[in-house]
Amino acid sequence: MFGDFAGCCARSAWAWEHWFQLALAADWDRFTWLAKEHGLTLESEPPPLGELLAKDWGYVVLRGDLWSVSEEGLHGDDKYVGLAELTAEERARHAEACERCMCGPCEMLRPEPDFLATMLNALDDSSTAPSAGWYLARMHETSPEVLVALVRAGNGAMRGLAPEVERYALRVPDARSTLMALLPDLRGGALGLALYALAEIGPAAERPTLVPRLRALLDGSDEAAEAAAELAGRVGHGVPGLAEELAAVLDREVSEELRHSAVLGLANLHLPPRTPSPAVRARLEREAARDTKAGKLAKWVLTGPVPPSWLVPSG
């Protein structure tokens, strides 16, 4: 947060404009989705993230504050520090900021090596992995190695990482080959994350090829089974018997998360005008009697008119 300084705040104003441009560039898909939710369309192109991150004469954090840089020194809203007043370490940071902006968001999005290492280390802890995944998914530079690290962090953190892995995989060249090579060694939430990513990337016509893998996991009860149940509804339209296999998950004593994933999969398989078979309907009716997330969703499948925006329609 910046102070007011009676309106004499050029550094703050320019910094906020810079950060807002970065936010638009890094999260453009989120902004377009929000616009659509409100009946609007963003017609312009997203700001070029690479150009913003390569911008010279930017900002730097020193002495606990954010400064804009010039050849002469550091500029704040209400203060100035000349180059001669800087320590050798501060002059080195100043020189870096003269070549490329060294504000926190730019360091993160570029990313600088130290920041990347910190985020990769944070993936090892399930409590910090979702936050680290959020940052990693928005970095300008991508690599197969980071994609692998994100997927392997899935055990214990699958739910928090799924949207970030989907987003990251879309930006990694030949991500499909990387993920397919990983599959034999993955279990639980890590396997679930790989499946989420595979269901998101590549041509839509290829996604049903995942169905045999998803079917094989429906007998389980771990996070991989949760992912398989949800994804069956995304990629399994028109597959004979799949809805009945998915509904059979509800006959077992399984976690509430798996029950919800199964009903979510069934909801996507039965988006209007599709109607459940008698066998599937009977299970949904039983589920709808329960006061749970799965029960409420089952009730919508049986009676609801307009799909909620978070359901994923086919195609």
Short mmCIF file of all heavy atoms in Angstrom, two decimals, residues 11-45:
data_model
loop_
_atom_site.label_atom_id
_atom_site.label_comp_id
_atom_site.label_asym_id
_atom_site.label_seq_id
_atom_site.Cartn_x
_atom_site.Cartn_y
_atom_site.Cartn_z
N ARG A 11 5.52 7.94 -8.53
CA ARG A 11 6.07 6.59 -8.46
C ARG A 11 4.96 5.57 -8.20
O ARG A 11 4.86 4.53 -8.86
CB ARG A 11 7.12 6.53 -7.35
CG ARG A 11 7.84 5.20 -7.12
CD ARG A 11 7.24 4.26 -6.09
NE ARG A 11 6.49 4.87 -5.03
CZ ARG A 11 6.70 4.65 -3.73
NH1 ARG A 11 7.67 3.84 -3.36
NH2 ARG A 11 5.93 5.19 -2.82
N SER A 12 4.07 5.86 -7.23
CA SER A 12 2.98 4.95 -6.90
C SER A 12 2.02 4.77 -8.07
O SER A 12 1.59 3.66 -8.39
CB SER A 12 2.22 5.46 -5.69
OG SER A 12 3.07 5.60 -4.57
N ALA A 13 1.66 5.88 -8.71
CA ALA A 13 0.70 5.81 -9.81
C ALA A 13 1.24 4.97 -10.97
O ALA A 13 0.55 4.10 -11.52
CB ALA A 13 0.36 7.22 -10.30
N TRP A 14 2.53 5.22 -11.34
CA TRP A 14 3.12 4.46 -12.44
C TRP A 14 3.30 2.99 -12.07
O TRP A 14 3.13 2.10 -12.91
CB TRP A 14 4.46 5.06 -12.85
CG TRP A 14 4.33 6.36 -13.59
CD1 TRP A 14 4.71 7.60 -13.17
CD2 TRP A 14 3.76 6.55 -14.89
NE1 TRP A 14 4.41 8.55 -14.11
CE2 TRP A 14 3.83 7.94 -15.18
CE3 TRP A 14 3.19 5.71 -15.83
CZ2 TRP A 14 3.37 8.48 -16.37
CZ3 TRP A 14 2.71 6.25 -17.03
CH2 TRP A 14 2.81 7.62 -17.28
N ALA A 15 3.63 2.73 -10.81
CA ALA A 15 3.80 1.33 -10.37
C ALA A 15 2.48 0.58 -10.45
O ALA A 15 2.41 -0.56 -10.92
CB ALA A 15 4.36 1.29 -8.95
N TRP A 16 1.40 1.22 -10.00
CA TRP A 16 0.10 0.55 -10.04
C TRP A 16 -0.33 0.30 -11.49
O TRP A 16 -0.91 -0.74 -11.79
CB TRP A 16 -0.96 1.37 -9.31
CG TRP A 16 -0.97 1.08 -7.84
CD1 TRP A 16 -0.62 1.91 -6.83
CD2 TRP A 16 -1.34 -0.16 -7.22
NE1 TRP A 16 -0.75 1.27 -5.61
CE2 TRP A 16 -1.18 0.01 -5.82
CE3 TRP A 16 -1.78 -1.39 -7.70
CZ2 TRP A 16 -1.45 -1.01 -4.91
CZ3 TRP A 16 -2.04 -2.40 -6.78
CH2 TRP A 16 -1.88 -2.21 -5.42
N GLU A 17 -0.06 1.25 -12.38
CA GLU A 17 -0.40 1.02 -13.78
C GLU A 17 0.40 -0.17 -14.32
O GLU A 17 -0.15 -1.04 -15.01
CB GLU A 17 -0.11 2.26 -14.63
CG GLU A 17 -0.51 2.04 -16.09
CD GLU A 17 0.09 3.06 -17.03
OE1 GLU A 17 1.24 3.47 -16.81
OE2 GLU A 17 -0.60 3.41 -18.01
N HIS A 18 1.68 -0.22 -13.99
CA HIS A 18 2.55 -1.32 -14.42
C HIS A 18 2.02 -2.65 -13.90
O HIS A 18 1.91 -3.64 -14.64
CB HIS A 18 3.97 -1.04 -13.91
CG HIS A 18 4.93 -2.16 -14.12
ND1 HIS A 18 5.17 -2.74 -15.35
CD2 HIS A 18 5.75 -2.81 -13.23
CE1 HIS A 18 6.08 -3.69 -15.23
NE2 HIS A 18 6.44 -3.76 -13.95
N TRP A 19 1.65 -2.72 -12.62
CA TRP A 19 1.17 -3.96 -12.03
C TRP A 19 -0.18 -4.38 -12.60
O TRP A 19 -0.46 -5.56 -12.75
CB TRP A 19 1.09 -3.82 -10.51
CG TRP A 19 2.44 -3.70 -9.87
CD1 TRP A 19 3.63 -4.09 -10.39
CD2 TRP A 19 2.74 -3.14 -8.59
NE1 TRP A 19 4.65 -3.81 -9.52
CE2 TRP A 19 4.13 -3.23 -8.41
CE3 TRP A 19 1.95 -2.56 -7.59
CZ2 TRP A 19 4.76 -2.77 -7.26
CZ3 TRP A 19 2.58 -2.11 -6.43
CH2 TRP A 19 3.97 -2.21 -6.28
N PHE A 20 -1.03 -3.40 -12.92
CA PHE A 20 -2.31 -3.75 -13.51
C PHE A 20 -2.12 -4.33 -14.91
O PHE A 20 -2.79 -5.29 -15.29
CB PHE A 20 -3.24 -2.52 -13.57
CG PHE A 20 -4.63 -2.84 -14.02
CD1 PHE A 20 -5.43 -3.72 -13.30
CD2 PHE A 20 -5.14 -2.27 -15.17
CE1 PHE A 20 -6.72 -4.03 -13.72
CE2 PHE A 20 -6.43 -2.57 -15.59
CZ PHE A 20 -7.21 -3.45 -14.87
N GLN A 21 -1.18 -3.79 -15.67
CA GLN A 21 -0.87 -4.36 -16.97
C GLN A 21 -0.36 -5.79 -16.83
O GLN A 21 -0.73 -6.68 -17.60
CB GLN A 21 0.17 -3.51 -17.70
CG GLN A 21 -0.36 -2.18 -18.20
CD GLN A 21 0.73 -1.37 -18.87
OE1 GLN A 21 1.88 -1.36 -18.44
NE2 GLN A 21 0.37 -0.68 -19.94
N LEU A 22 0.51 -6.02 -15.83
CA LEU A 22 1.00 -7.37 -15.59
C LEU A 22 -0.13 -8.32 -15.23
O LEU A 22 -0.17 -9.47 -15.69
CB LEU A 22 2.04 -7.36 -14.46
CG LEU A 22 3.39 -6.71 -14.74
CD1 LEU A 22 4.24 -6.67 -13.48
CD2 LEU A 22 4.13 -7.45 -15.85
N ALA A 23 -1.06 -7.84 -14.39
CA ALA A 23 -2.19 -8.68 -13.99
C ALA A 23 -3.03 -9.06 -15.20
O ALA A 23 -3.44 -10.22 -15.36
CB ALA A 23 -3.03 -7.96 -12.94
N LEU A 24 -3.32 -8.10 -16.06
CA LEU A 24 -4.09 -8.38 -17.26
C LEU A 24 -3.38 -9.39 -18.16
O LEU A 24 -3.99 -10.32 -18.69
CB LEU A 24 -4.35 -7.09 -18.05
CG LEU A 24 -5.37 -6.12 -17.48
CD1 LEU A 24 -5.35 -4.81 -18.26
CD2 LEU A 24 -6.78 -6.72 -17.52
N ALA A 25 -2.07 -9.20 -18.33
CA ALA A 25 -1.31 -10.08 -19.21
C ALA A 25 -1.20 -11.50 -18.66
O ALA A 25 -1.33 -12.48 -19.39
CB ALA A 25 0.09 -9.50 -19.44
N ALA A 26 -0.97 -11.61 -17.35
CA ALA A 26 -0.76 -12.93 -16.74
C ALA A 26 -2.05 -13.69 -16.52
O ALA A 26 -2.06 -14.92 -16.49
CB ALA A 26 -0.02 -12.76 -15.41
N ASP A 27 -3.17 -12.98 -16.35
CA ASP A 27 -4.45 -13.62 -16.03
C ASP A 27 -5.53 -13.26 -17.05
O ASP A 27 -6.70 -13.16 -16.71
CB ASP A 27 -4.91 -13.17 -14.63
CG ASP A 27 -4.89 -14.33 -13.64
OD1 ASP A 27 -4.67 -15.48 -14.09
OD2 ASP A 27 -5.08 -14.10 -12.45
N TRP A 28 -5.13 -13.09 -18.31
CA TRP A 28 -6.08 -12.64 -19.32
C TRP A 28 -7.26 -13.58 -19.46
O TRP A 28 -8.40 -13.14 -19.63
CB TRP A 28 -5.36 -12.50 -20.67
CG TRP A 28 -6.21 -11.90 -21.74
CD1 TRP A 28 -6.78 -12.54 -22.81
CD2 TRP A 28 -6.58 -10.52 -21.87
NE1 TRP A 28 -7.47 -11.64 -23.58
CE2 TRP A 28 -7.37 -10.39 -23.03
CE3 TRP A 28 -6.31 -9.38 -21.11
CZ2 TRP A 28 -7.89 -9.18 -23.46
CZ3 TRP A 28 -6.84 -8.17 -21.53
CH2 TRP A 28 -7.62 -8.07 -22.69
N ASP A 29 -7.02 -14.89 -19.36
CA ASP A 29 -8.13 -15.83 -19.48
C ASP A 29 -9.14 -15.65 -18.35
O ASP A 29 -10.35 -15.79 -18.55
CB ASP A 29 -7.62 -17.27 -19.52
CG ASP A 29 -6.76 -17.63 -18.32
OD1 ASP A 29 -6.30 -16.72 -17.60
OD2 ASP A 29 -6.51 -18.83 -18.11
N ARG A 30 -8.65 -15.31 -17.16
CA ARG A 30 -9.55 -15.07 -16.04
C ARG A 30 -10.39 -13.81 -16.28
O ARG A 30 -11.58 -13.79 -16.01
CB ARG A 30 -8.73 -14.92 -14.76
CG ARG A 30 -9.53 -14.55 -13.52
CD ARG A 30 -10.44 -15.65 -13.08
NE ARG A 30 -11.10 -15.32 -11.82
CZ ARG A 30 -12.11 -16.01 -11.32
NH1 ARG A 30 -12.59 -17.06 -11.95
NH2 ARG A 30 -12.66 -15.65 -10.18
N PHE A 31 -9.77 -12.76 -16.80
CA PHE A 31 -10.51 -11.53 -17.07
C PHE A 31 -11.55 -11.73 -18.18
O PHE A 31 -12.65 -11.19 -18.10
CB PHE A 31 -9.55 -10.40 -17.45
CG PHE A 31 -8.82 -9.81 -16.27
CD1 PHE A 31 -7.51 -10.17 -16.00
CD2 PHE A 31 -9.44 -8.92 -15.41
CE1 PHE A 31 -6.83 -9.65 -14.90
CE2 PHE A 31 -8.79 -8.39 -14.32
CZ PHE A 31 -7.47 -8.75 -14.06
N THR A 32 -11.21 -12.50 -19.21
CA THR A 32 -12.18 -12.76 -20.27
C THR A 32 -13.35 -13.57 -19.73
O THR A 32 -14.50 -13.36 -20.13
CB THR A 32 -11.53 -13.48 -21.46
OG1 THR A 32 -10.89 -14.69 -21.00
CG2 THR A 32 -10.48 -12.61 -22.12
N TRP A 33 -13.06 -14.52 -18.82
CA TRP A 33 -14.13 -15.32 -18.22
C TRP A 33 -15.05 -14.43 -17.37
O TRP A 33 -16.28 -14.55 -17.44
CB TRP A 33 -13.53 -16.43 -17.37
CG TRP A 33 -14.55 -17.31 -16.71
CD1 TRP A 33 -15.19 -18.37 -17.26
CD2 TRP A 33 -15.04 -17.18 -15.37
NE1 TRP A 33 -16.06 -18.92 -16.34
CE2 TRP A 33 -16.00 -18.21 -15.18
CE3 TRP A 33 -14.78 -16.30 -14.32
CZ2 TRP A 33 -16.67 -18.37 -13.97
CZ3 TRP A 33 -15.46 -16.47 -13.12
CH2 TRP A 33 -16.39 -17.50 -12.96
N LEU A 34 -14.44 -13.55 -16.58
CA LEU A 34 -15.25 -12.65 -15.75
C LEU A 34 -16.12 -11.74 -16.62
O LEU A 34 -17.29 -11.48 -16.29
CB LEU A 34 -14.34 -11.80 -14.86
CG LEU A 34 -13.69 -12.52 -13.67
CD1 LEU A 34 -12.64 -11.62 -13.03
CD2 LEU A 34 -14.74 -12.91 -12.64
N ALA A 35 -15.55 -11.24 -17.70
CA ALA A 35 -16.32 -10.40 -18.61
C ALA A 35 -17.52 -11.17 -19.16
O ALA A 35 -18.65 -10.66 -19.19
CB ALA A 35 -15.43 -9.89 -19.74
N LYS A 36 -17.27 -12.40 -19.59
CA LYS A 36 -18.35 -13.23 -20.14
C LYS A 36 -19.44 -13.46 -19.11
O LYS A 36 -20.63 -13.46 -19.44
CB LYS A 36 -17.77 -14.56 -20.63
CG LYS A 36 -18.78 -15.45 -21.33
CD LYS A 36 -18.11 -16.72 -21.83
CE LYS A 36 -19.13 -17.64 -22.50
NZ LYS A 36 -18.50 -18.89 -22.98
N GLU A 37 -19.05 -13.68 -17.85
CA GLU A 37 -20.03 -13.90 -16.78
C GLU A 37 -20.96 -12.69 -16.62
O GLU A 37 -22.09 -12.84 -16.15
CB GLU A 37 -19.31 -14.17 -15.46
CG GLU A 37 -18.68 -15.54 -15.36
CD GLU A 37 -19.72 -16.64 -15.26
OE1 GLU A 37 -20.39 -16.75 -14.21
OE2 GLU A 37 -19.89 -17.40 -16.25
N HIS A 38 -20.49 -11.52 -16.99
CA HIS A 38 -21.29 -10.30 -16.88
C HIS A 38 -21.85 -9.84 -18.23
O HIS A 38 -22.27 -8.69 -18.38
CB HIS A 38 -20.45 -9.18 -16.25
CG HIS A 38 -20.12 -9.43 -14.80
ND1 HIS A 38 -20.99 -9.15 -13.78
CD2 HIS A 38 -19.02 -9.97 -14.23
CE1 HIS A 38 -20.44 -9.48 -12.62
NE2 HIS A 38 -19.25 -9.99 -12.87
N GLY A 39 -21.85 -10.74 -19.21
CA GLY A 39 -22.43 -10.42 -20.50
C GLY A 39 -21.58 -9.50 -21.35
O GLY A 39 -22.10 -8.84 -22.26
N LEU A 40 -20.28 -9.43 -21.08
CA LEU A 40 -19.38 -8.54 -21.81
C LEU A 40 -18.36 -9.35 -22.59
O LEU A 40 -18.13 -10.53 -22.33
CB LEU A 40 -18.66 -7.60 -20.84
CG LEU A 40 -19.57 -6.74 -19.95
CD1 LEU A 40 -18.73 -6.02 -18.90
CD2 LEU A 40 -20.35 -5.74 -20.78
N THR A 41 -17.72 -8.70 -23.55
CA THR A 41 -16.65 -9.33 -24.32
C THR A 41 -15.45 -8.40 -24.38
O THR A 41 -15.60 -7.22 -24.70
CB THR A 41 -17.12 -9.63 -25.76
OG1 THR A 41 -18.26 -10.49 -25.72
CG2 THR A 41 -16.01 -10.30 -26.56
N LEU A 42 -14.28 -8.93 -24.05
CA LEU A 42 -13.04 -8.15 -24.20
C LEU A 42 -12.58 -8.30 -25.64
O LEU A 42 -12.21 -9.39 -26.08
CB LEU A 42 -11.97 -8.67 -23.23
CG LEU A 42 -12.27 -8.50 -21.74
CD1 LEU A 42 -11.12 -9.05 -20.91
CD2 LEU A 42 -12.51 -7.05 -21.39
N GLU A 43 -12.58 -7.21 -26.38
CA GLU A 43 -12.26 -7.26 -27.81
C GLU A 43 -10.79 -7.01 -28.09
O GLU A 43 -10.30 -7.36 -29.16
CB GLU A 43 -13.11 -6.24 -28.57
CG GLU A 43 -14.60 -6.55 -28.52
CD GLU A 43 -15.43 -5.58 -29.33
OE1 GLU A 43 -14.86 -4.52 -29.71
OE2 GLU A 43 -16.61 -5.85 -29.59
N SER A 44 -10.07 -6.41 -27.15
CA SER A 44 -8.66 -6.12 -27.39
C SER A 44 -7.81 -7.37 -27.17
O SER A 44 -8.26 -8.36 -26.60
CB SER A 44 -8.20 -5.01 -26.46
OG SER A 44 -8.33 -5.41 -25.10
N GLU A 45 -6.58 -7.30 -27.60
CA GLU A 45 -5.62 -8.37 -27.36
C GLU A 45 -5.02 -8.19 -25.97
O GLU A 45 -4.93 -7.07 -25.46
CB GLU A 45 -4.51 -8.33 -28.41
CG GLU A 45 -4.98 -8.66 -29.83
CD GLU A 45 -5.51 -10.07 -29.93
OE1 GLU A 45 -4.87 -11.00 -29.38
OE2 GLU A 45 -6.57 -10.26 -30.55
#
